[in-house]
Structure formats: C-alpha cells, structure tokens
Amino acid sequence: MGWDTQIIIFVENIQNEEKEIALDLYGSDKNFITGLFFAKSKFCSDGTKAIIFTYERRKYLPYWTIKEVSLKYTGKYFTAIASSPDFILGPAGIIKFFNGEIIDSYGFWERELVATEFLENPNSEVLYQWFAKDKLEEQFREFYVDKQPKKWIEDSYRENIIEFTDEQNQKFIEIIENYKTNNDWTEIKLNKK
C-alpha cells in the first residue's frame, strides 16, 4: 500500500540552464510521477534565475535523484519539499542540497504552518518567498539549530520535527496575502522523451 506526496523543488542561482535542469529533474524521477506536474522560472533581483519544479509521486522524497542533479549543476541551491514523505498524513519534509551534498533536512507539520493548501496546490511565489535561500524559512531555521542541527536526517522526518511558533506561522499567512496573486513565473515547456 502506498500514498501520493507532492514534491516541490526550487533551484536557485541559475544563469541560463533552467530548461536543462527542469528536464533533468523530470527525467530523474519520471517513472514515479503520478499526477500533474509543472516547471516554471523567474528572474531574481540579483540577476540570476530560479525555477520551481513540482509534481505528485508515489511516496517518499526522492533525495537520491535530486542529489545527483545537484551534483551535475554545481553552484546552484536546491531545496526539495514533500507534503508527506514518511506516511499518509505524516509530517512534511524538507531537504537542502548544494554541489551534490545534503546540507540540511528536517520535518515539519505542514498543518501547523498553514501550508497544506500551498504544498498540495503549489503557488510558486508564495512558496518561493517562504522556502527559497535567505527567505523566512531559512531565517527562522537558525532559531532551531541547537534543537535540530543542520544535517542529513536519513529520511526520518517525524523524528526530526521543527515546530514553528504561532508568530512564525503568522509570517507565512502574511506572505500568502502579499504574494498570492504574483505571476512573475514563466512556464518552462518540457519536451519529454
């Protein structure tokens, strides 16, 4: 028996290889995609680009495939989030990669974060403003390093939970209000093989 989980991957610090990265992410896990997927890109204020690639797959957050793609595209920041990687209705999980190495991972109860709707029905800009490098999630993450060190947690999200405070959750709600209608993302047309 299994379950489906929504996978959301951000890749940042891109110059012009957004289509190649999106195709590699798609190709690395295409046999397990069970639902709709999309890839989009945007220009960032620092002159680089970011992409979001999201899809539904059968269980688990496929860190092994993302790690390989991250190794191929050095100097890029990869952030992968899964709505329920451990078990149905379980905690969400996040893994961060740089140069093929996992640099952080933990679980969080998406329902506490008011993120359920946005993990299951991704809004690119809302999620980017929360989960991207140097955004609020990463800033709040620093408050929990003593309790939950930055490391690879071996796929054990429920044993490595970070519980964000009500005040921090409120910041996510503010992001929803400020960015829910932002449409600076452009679809990446994937010519799937």
Side-chain angles (χ1 to χ4, degrees):
M1 181 157 163
W3 66 95
D4 289 342
T5 187
Q6 188 71 32
I7 306 297
I8 300 160
I9 305 167
F10 285 105
V11 185
E12 299 172 80
N13 200 32
I14 297 172
Q15 301 308 311
N16 291 308
E17 59 273 79
E18 62 271 16
K19 186 167 185 173
E20 294 84 2
I21 294 171
L23 281 168
D24 282 348
L25 288 169
Y26 170 80
S28 70
D29 205 32
K30 68 182 178 185
N31 294 332
F32 298 95
I33 294 175
T34 60
L36 295 175
F37 65 92
F38 67 79
K40 295 180 179 180
S41 67
K42 72 175 273 176
F43 285 98
C44 301
S45 59
D46 65 358
T48 64
K49 296 178 185 175
I51 66 170
I52 181 174
F53 178 66
T54 184
Y55 61 99
E56 189 174 78
R57 85 178 307 274
R58 297 295 292 160
K59 24 181 188 172
Y60 312 122
L61 198 167
Y63 65 86
W64 55 94
T65 63
I66 302 163
K67 187 175 179 177
E68 288 298 315
V69 177
S70 170
L71 183 60
K72 181 176 178 181
Y73 295 97
T74 59
K76 315 296 182 242
Y77 296 99
F78 285 68
T79 302
I81 306 123
S83 60
S84 294
D86 275 343
F87 53 90
I88 194 163
L89 296 177
I94 185 168
I95 305 174
K96 298 179 182 186
F97 306 81
F98 187 70
N99 294 340
E101 296 293 323
I102 295 174
I103 57 175
D104 193 13
S105 59
Y106 62 89
F108 64 93
W109 287 103
E110 59 183 287
R111 289 135 199 94
E112 287 180 9
L113 194 60
V114 193
T116 305
E117 176 184 348
F118 291 93
L119 291 182
E120 296 297 336
N121 300 298
N123 176 305
S124 304
E125 190 64 19
V126 168
L127 292 172
Y128 177 80
Q129 290 298 328
W130 182 262
F131 288 110
K133 178 146 183 59
D134 297 326
K135 300 294 185 186
L136 281 174
E137 174 275 332
E138 191 167 282
Q139 294 169 27
F140 290 151
R141 172 69 175 101
E142 293 301 317
F143 298 129
Y144 300 94
V145 171
D146 289 343
K147 178 185 171 202
Q148 182 61 48
K150 292 183 177 183
K151 63 180 180 178
W152 172 224
I153 58 170
E154 303 292 333
D155 244 357
S156 299
Y157 304 100
R158 70 177 163 207
E159 286 86 27
N160 295 279
I161 296 286
I162 289 180
E163 295 182 23
F164 292 100
T165 67
D166 289 341
E167 184 177 293
Q168 291 165 339
N169 288 334
Q170 184 60 39
K171 293 292 185 187
F172 186 77
I173 292 168
E174 290 172 19
I175 287 174
I176 294 168
E177 292 306 312
N178 291 331
Y179 294 99
K180 67 182 173 187
T181 59
N182 180 296
N183 198 18
D184 290 341
W185 294 81
T186 304
E187 182 180 358
I188 300 171
K189 302 278 187 197
L190 300 179
N191 300 328
K192 304 173 296 287
K193 297 174 183 157

